[in-house]
Amino acid sequence: MGLSLKAVEKSYGAQRVLQPVDLEAADGEFLTILGPSGSGKTTILRLVGGFTRPTGGHIRFGGTDLTDVPSHKRPFNTVFQDYALFPHMSVADNVGYGLMVRGMAKAAIRDKVVRTLEVVGLGGLLDRYPSQLSGGQKQRVALARAIVCEPKLILLDEPLAALDAEMRRHMQFFLKDLQRRIATAFLFVTHDQEEAITMSDRIVVMDKGRIEQVGAPGDIYYAPKTPFVARFFGDNNLIEGNVRDGRVETAVANFALPAGSRAEPRPVLVAVRPEKISIGGADGGRTAIACKVEETTFTGALTQLKARPLAAPQTTLLVKMTSDPGRPLPERGAETTLSFAPDTVAIVEVGS
Amino acid sequence: MNSLPARLAVFALVAAGPLLFVVAPIGSFLVMSFARVEGHQIINDMTLDNYVAFFGNWVYLKTFLLTLWLCAEVTLIGIVLGYPIAWFIWRRRARTRYLLLLLFVLPLFMSYIVKIYTMRSILGLNGFLNQILVGSGILSAPSLVFLYNQGSILITMAVIFLPFVILPIFLSLERIPRNLVQASADLGAGAGTTFRHVVLPLSLPGTIAGGLFAFVLALGDFITPQMVGGPSGFTIGRVIWSQFGLAYNWPFGAAMGAVLFLFALAVIVVAGSIASRQRV
């Protein structure tokens, strides 16, 4: 059940903005579509919402084909990027709009609006107008307006993009918590990878109108399947290499192929998380790399270190470690040994 | 540069234009309206005689009221015709939208007199309208009823002022973010409900402005009634004009002008306050 997209594609004239995609969202799932601008993520949302028609494929929900069903007859509600609150209506009328359209009695609408506004933490603002609200409050009104009709699925189009950093972090937790409380599926579109990792049950990573990878945040983060995904998340160290005779050979280091990887000889990209590299210690099967320290930067909770391997000085390795005032850091220009455990490395396939 | 005299000088400079070209002429005809004529002399002795003459004479008052009624009709026809046109243009895709808009407001670039003559030739005995009606067999002979009466003034004004109604309505529609229309559909509203609850209220200020344009332009117009109105199509604009041109009673003309001016001002203030009550 839930939402299902089968070979859905979208072209404007000769330009295909969305390649045929298959996608499923389960009931009650928090599914995030993540990608840079122009990746087709908003196109998917607009297709599901019924604001544009696909040029191919089928959109189904709970077994019903919605491909040709107009927007106002779909059982979804949307939180728009800039909220799209009706400026000439009070908060109460904005939130109650969907109920009014359904012909609910005035008193019943009022009751439900009051309760819903309390759910989003906005009780008492019923008679304000959108122009009198802060960005965070507008955000909550837009949410209340979307959840009040109890849709099967809520579509969110970069709803946090317009908020400042602190408010955004606050709203991330609020949204996730709200989603659990109302037990409704969320289809959330964002370009912010941190946002996606924090909130989602599953993430769909998109680039250039294609789905690159679908998976739980941990899978996407630690086991990227394509170079794009490996680059998009965090500050991965990406090293070109080859698989040969059960080993991975790169200019930086050679090490045993991690368990579960294909042994077939081929060129690959090695992705090493900066927090998986540490200073010193070639013990316990760790792979050691002799490096020259480029710079160290204290950033608060973490300390960053940049170093160039002696064997491959054109490559820069980034290391992130928990800051520790008691631990001396190598000087700039000093030689030091860095190491990582081969099984924490992701082997990324390079093209086909 | 921030001293008081300097700032006063700048203010005087900025205020000079409006003072000279707007306030001074209005002030002078207000003053004129309290004068009287003796022979060919205008004597300024601050009398209310002109206003007494206007409000005391049912013929003038009736003309004034009929003119107001005519202008109200022009406004209504303008909105009834203009709103659907503006809405239709607004619904086109971006490429055709502005071309279409330009086409509809193109008459604004033409001479006012030319437009009146055009309307006269359409409505006249051998005009386009009669030719169609006779040609299609609806009329057996060309009719005179389309020209030189109150009705022909109404039709001509409504047509000529239509672009002034379309433009502000279109602009207010254009200012409605498309995602509000989408949000309404998203919440389950069909096209009709969305129009009634979202599009119409949000385009109301522009509609009021458009109606106001038509009303005020019609109120002050004396050329259209003169050219297509004939002897029976008398409006207050024509009466005022005749006081200046034919009767050489400038003070009386000024008094009627002042009444017209204050009335137009009142309409603008009322319409403006209705429009500004919309939170857009």
Side-chain angles (χ1 to χ4, degrees):
Chain A
M1 283 312 175
L3 179 73
S4 140
L5 275 66
K6 281 266 155 14
V8 171
E9 57 172 275
K10 177 71 185 176
S11 304
Y12 291 101
Q15 199 196 356
R16 192 182 255 191
V17 294
L18 187 66
Q19 305 293 334
V21 296
D22 294 328
L23 192 61
E24 307 257 334
D27 285 336
E29 184 178 19
F30 198 126
L31 184 68
T32 297
I33 307 179
L34 173 71
S37 61
S39 60
K41 58 186 192 302
T42 302
T43 305
I44 291 190
L45 196 83
R46 295 181 58 81
L47 288 169
V48 174
F51 307 120
T52 42
R53 293 291 163 87
T55 36
H58 287 277
I59 299 168
R60 288 192 185 81
F61 189 83
T64 318
D65 195 320
L66 294 179
T67 315
D68 296 316
V69 173
S71 181
H72 68 277
K73 290 192 177 140
R74 296 192 185 196
F76 314 140
N77 287 127
T78 305
V79 177
F80 290 85
Q81 184 169 14
D82 42 7
Y83 320 133
L85 299 179
F86 304 122
H88 58 300
M89 293 184 198
S90 66
V91 166
D93 288 345
N94 262 286
V95 176
Y97 189 82
L99 304 174
M100 182 271 291
V101 166
R102 279 163 184 75
M104 196 186 254
K106 271 196 178 144
I109 292 179
R110 190 82 180 175
D111 270 8
K112 197 150 187 201
V113 166
V114 169
R115 269 185 283 128
T116 310
L117 281 172
E118 267 154 22
V119 170
V120 299
L122 273 188
L125 290 184
L126 276 94
D127 298 320
R128 294 273 190 93
Y129 280 83
S131 59
Q132 300 166 311
L133 301 177
S134 71
Q137 289 171 328
K138 284 183 193 168
Q139 173 71 73
R140 285 160 191 256
V141 174
L143 268 172
R145 190 175 67 172
I147 65 175
V148 75
C149 298
E150 294 167 19
K152 299 276 170 33
L153 171 69
I154 293 179
L155 312 174
L156 302 101
D157 185 9
E158 304 220 20
L160 308 182
L163 302 177
D164 60 56
E166 195 185 334
M167 192 54 159
R168 196 177 320 154
R169 255 192 306 279
H170 176 75
M171 285 304 287
Q172 283 173 14
F173 290 108
F174 175 78
L175 268 178
K176 183 66 198 159
D177 178 55
L178 177 73
Q179 191 259 343
R180 275 195 209 105
R181 272 188 289 158
I182 63 177
T184 304
F186 273 29
L187 186 61
F188 185 93
V189 161
T190 183
H191 64 269
D192 184 325
Q193 39 113 350
E194 185 210 314
E195 216 166 272
I197 289 179
T198 315
M199 297 193 283
S200 319
D201 294 325
R202 280 193 309 152
I203 300 175
V204 179
V205 186
M206 293 195 67
D207 184 43
K208 299 189 180 113
R210 257 180 244 278
I211 292 181
E212 290 274 324
Q213 189 173 348
V214 181
D219 293 345
I220 302 263
Y221 190 79
Y222 288 115
K225 288 224 165 62
T226 70
F228 175 82
V229 178
R231 278 191 197 95
F232 198 60
F233 278 88
D235 310 302
N236 243 335
N237 291 296
L238 296 172
I239 306 154
E240 286 173 13
N242 285 287
V243 173
R244 196 170 297 154
D245 305 330
R247 289 183 68 78
V248 183
E249 297 175 358
T250 75
V252 174
N254 296 341
F255 53 91
L257 192 64
S261 299
R262 285 193 298 137
E264 187 184 320
R266 66 195 186 281
V268 292
L269 207 56
V270 177
V272 194
R273 284 277 159 210
E275 66 273 21
K276 294 292 180 193
I277 306 179
S278 52
I279 298 178
D283 50 307
R286 291 177 77 88
T287 304
I289 311 160
C291 289
K292 191 172 186 175
V293 175
E294 190 94 330
E295 63 172 310
T296 55
T297 318
F298 171 68
T299 64
L302 295 178
T303 297
Q304 289 190 7
L305 181 141
K306 276 184 188 161
R308 292 182 185 278
L310 296 179
Q314 73 282 3
T315 312
T316 308
L317 291 180
L318 179 70
V319 183
K320 285 184 187 171
M321 51 206 152
T322 315
S323 298
D324 180 359
R327 179 179 58 197
L329 286 170
E331 295 283 320
R332 222 190 105 118
E335 285 187 13
T336 187
T337 303
L338 302 180
S339 68
F340 61 85
D343 59 348
T344 60
V345 161
I347 303 297
V348 183
E349 301 298 332
V350 200
S352 47
Chain B
M1 261 323 274
N2 254 335
S3 66
L4 190 62
R7 272 188 288 164
L8 278 177
V10 169
F11 178 76
L13 215 64
V14 172
L19 266 175
L20 204 62
F21 297 115
V22 179
V23 178
I26 291 174
S28 81
F29 91 70
L30 279 177
V31 169
M32 171 90 69
S33 72
F34 296 106
R36 64 188 168 85
V37 170
E38 212 172 81
H40 286 290
Q41 285 307 109
I42 290 171
I43 297 157
N44 202 342
D45 53 3
M46 298 307 279
T47 166
L48 282 173
D49 287 359
N50 296 316
Y51 290 96
V52 172
F54 176 75
F55 286 107
N57 189 330
W58 175 237
V59 175
Y60 290 128
L61 209 56
K62 191 178 148 197
T63 309
F64 182 62
L65 293 175
L66 282 176
T67 305
L68 292 185
W69 179 245
L70 177 76
C71 295
E73 286 178 308
V74 169
T75 306
L76 196 71
I77 293 177
I79 290 174
V80 167
L81 289 179
Y83 197 100
I85 294 174
W87 184 86
F88 176 80
I89 300 172
W90 176 62
R91 295 298 293 178
R92 298 308 100 194
R93 23 181 96 245
R95 213 176 314 151
T96 47
R97 200 182 312 149
Y98 293 99
L99 201 70
L100 211 57
L101 180 70
L102 199 67
L103 221 61
F104 272 98
V105 299
L106 202 60
L108 292 179
F109 297 98
M110 291 191 267
S111 159
Y112 178 59
I113 302 295
V114 170
K115 280 184 277 187
I116 296 175
Y117 271 110
T118 310
M119 283 307 290
R120 212 149 84 151
S121 74
I122 289 172
L123 300 172
L125 192 61
N126 296 312
F128 187 60
L129 190 59
N130 268 318
Q131 280 178 15
I132 286 182
L133 291 176
V134 173
S136 62
I138 294 172
L139 289 182
S140 55
S143 167
L144 268 174
V145 298
F146 305 121
L147 198 53
Y148 302 126
N149 53 41
Q150 204 79 7
S152 59
I153 301 179
L154 178 63
I155 296 170
T156 307
M157 281 183 170
V159 169
I160 289 179
F161 299 144
L162 192 59
F164 292 99
V165 185
I166 293 176
L167 206 54
I169 296 178
F170 173 78
L171 291 177
S172 69
L173 287 169
E174 188 76 347
R175 275 185 55 197
I176 301 175
R178 296 271 158 154
N179 65 6
L180 292 189
V181 177
Q182 285 171 358
S184 176
D186 182 73
L187 292 162
T193 312
T194 297
F195 178 77
R196 206 164 63 247
H197 290 287
V198 178
V199 176
L200 191 61
L202 289 176
S203 62
L204 202 59
T207 309
I208 290 171
L212 200 61
F213 275 140
F215 187 84
V216 172
L217 286 169
L219 200 59
D221 191 1
F222 60 92
I223 300 174
T224 305
Q226 197 131 310
M227 306 241 316
V228 301
S232 67
F234 237 74
T235 64
I236 197 73
R238 266 180 101 174
V239 175
I240 294 172
W241 184 82
S242 72
Q243 290 306 315
F244 282 93
L246 303 171
Y248 195 67
N249 192 344
W250 286 27
F252 188 46
M256 285 190 282
V259 172
L260 202 65
F261 170 71
L262 290 175
F263 191 83
L265 206 63
V267 170
I268 291 171
V269 168
V270 169
S273 78
I274 295 172
S276 68
R277 216 175 299 156
Q278 297 294 315
R279 294 173 177 273
V280 284

